[in-house]
Structure formats: C-alpha cells, structure tokens
C-alpha cells in the first residue's frame, strides 16, 4: 500500500500485509530515527522454495531527506537455529545519493492508450551506487570479415533495488500504489540536485 504518508498510515499498511507486523515496524522505526514519513509502499511477496512456502516483505519509505529500503525474510529451522527465524535489514539512502529512478510499465493496446489507463504491471528500479551490474560482450569494428580481437565492450548499470507488481498477482490497487510511490520518489530526487 502506498500513501503520501504518515507514520500511522505506514503502520496500518504493515499490519495489513500481515507479515510479522511488529518486527517489520520495529525494524523501520530504527532507521526512521524520528524522521517524518512522506510516502511509502509495502510489498508482501510469498514464493515457493522447493516444497516450502517462503515469505518476504519489502518496504520502501520516503522521508524528507532519505529513502529507506527494508527487507524481512523468514527461514525454517536449520543447523544453527532450532526454530524458524527471520532476518530484517534496512538501508537508509540519502536522497542526494539516488542516481536513478526507473519506472517501467506494461500496458495493453498501446494505440488505444489514454492518460490514466491502468498498467498491467510496473517495475521500479532505484539506483544509488551500492550495487552495479556489468554486461560484457565482445567488441567489433563493424567489418564482418575482420578476425582481430577488439577486446570487450560493456555497460555498467546501477541495480540496487528492483520491485515489480502486477495487476494479475497483486491487484490494480498495488500497481497504482507503486506508481504513486515512484512519482513521489522522482519528485524528491529533483529537489535535492
């Protein structure tokens, strides 16, 4: 759920997700450090890992000065833990460090598209330089008969966080929520440059 937000709205969205709400809220309070909440999105993502159902929640919170990215995952008991356990992590990124906000949408019948037509899915990718991906391929000179080794060429892409929501899997409301958050984050990064 996204909101142009309050702490109480964030807390309700975490409760609504139903995934260890006290743990998730406590994790975020540590990183919020008393700062106001401008916007947020909470995404609960259950998935199957072999024959087990695993759950994961991602929470993005926009404050006046930072983007907070939180994750919570659960695990079954193992050699080091006698009972199931969860891990939580947050990263607080100053808004002036956000280098890219990429929003990708999929729509049907693009020729008939009108402003406000709902998207089938939305992918939000945010980069701030903590993680990058490099894609390499052999370089060429353009001569189809050339057999010389021209080394490699590639692209370095900032790839710190990606979240995808779809109408089919998450509902149209969640798609709108992610677009609302993406708009707020994009606007916030304009003002810090």
């Amino acid at each position: 759920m996204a909101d142009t937000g309050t702490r109480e709205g964030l807390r309700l969205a975490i409760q609504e997700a139903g995934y260890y709400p006290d743990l998730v809220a406590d994790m975020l309070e540590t990183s919020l450090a008393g700062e106001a909440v401008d916007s947020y999105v909470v995404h609960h993502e259950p998935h199957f890992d072999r024959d087990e159902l695993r759950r994961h929640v991602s929470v993005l919170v926009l404050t006046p000065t930072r983007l907070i990215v939180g994750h919570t995952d659960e695990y079954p008991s193992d050699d080091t833990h006698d009972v199931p356990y969860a891990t939580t992590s947050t990263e607080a990124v100053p808004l002036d460090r956000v280098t890219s906000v990429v929003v990708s949408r999929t729509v049907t019948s693009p020729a008939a598209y009108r402003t406000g037509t709902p998207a089938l899915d939305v992918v939000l990718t945010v980069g701030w330089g903590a993680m990058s991906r490099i894609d390499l391929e052999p370089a060429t000179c353009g001569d189809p008969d050339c057999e010389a080794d021209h080394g490699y060429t590639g692209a370095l892409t900032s790839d710190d966080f990606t979240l995808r929501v779809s109408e089919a899997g998450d509902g149209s409301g969640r798609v709108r929520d992610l677009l609302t958050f993406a708009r707020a984050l994009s606007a916030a990064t304009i003002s810090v440059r």
Side-chain angles (χ1 to χ4, degrees):
M1 170 181 278
D3 190 1
T4 50
T6 63
R7 268 189 144 68
E8 184 58 27
L10 174 60
R11 179 74 171 166
L12 289 171
I14 292 168
Q15 290 280 34
E16 186 179 286
Y19 179 77
Y20 304 126
D22 290 335
L23 176 63
V24 173
D26 193 41
M27 164 195 65
L28 289 169
E29 280 301 321
T30 300
S31 291
L32 282 169
E35 199 169 12
V37 172
D38 287 344
S39 188
Y40 58 83
V41 66
V42 177
H43 185 257
H44 180 220
E45 182 179 359
H47 63 279
F48 286 98
D49 182 11
R50 295 186 206 132
D51 60 346
E52 284 185 46
L53 175 65
R54 291 275 180 88
R55 298 184 301 164
H56 172 89
V57 69
S58 296
V59 181
L60 300 173
V61 181
L62 181 62
T63 75
T65 63
R66 298 175 299 148
L67 169 65
I68 297 172
V69 181
H71 299 283
T72 303
D73 292 284
E74 69 178 352
Y75 300 94
S77 58
D78 57 26
D79 294 340
T80 58
H81 299 87
D82 294 340
V83 296
Y85 63 100
T87 60
T88 65
S89 64
T90 56
E91 184 169 1
V93 182
L95 288 175
D96 64 355
R97 294 285 316 271
V98 175
T99 56
S100 64
V101 177
V102 180
V103 182
S104 302
R105 305 177 201 211
T106 302
V107 298
T108 58
S109 305
Y113 182 85
R114 298 292 176 257
T115 301
T117 300
L120 292 178
D121 67 41
V122 174
V123 179
L124 172 65
T125 302
V126 183
W128 55 88
M131 294 176 58
S132 297
R133 180 182 71 238
I134 189 164
D135 296 316
L136 293 175
E137 61 183 42
T140 63
C141 67
D143 179 358
D145 297 323
C146 181
E147 295 182 16
D149 182 354
H150 295 286
Y152 289 88
T153 185
L156 182 63
T157 307
S158 181
D159 196 17
D160 294 306
F161 180 81
T162 299
L163 178 62
R164 176 184 182 268
V165 296
S166 69
E167 181 183 56
D170 304 296
S172 59
R174 298 288 185 219
V175 172
R176 281 190 310 274
D177 290 346
L178 187 55
L179 284 170
T180 298
F181 181 83
R183 188 176 301 114
L185 179 58
S186 292
T189 59
I190 292 170
S191 64
V192 295
R193 301 283 177 220

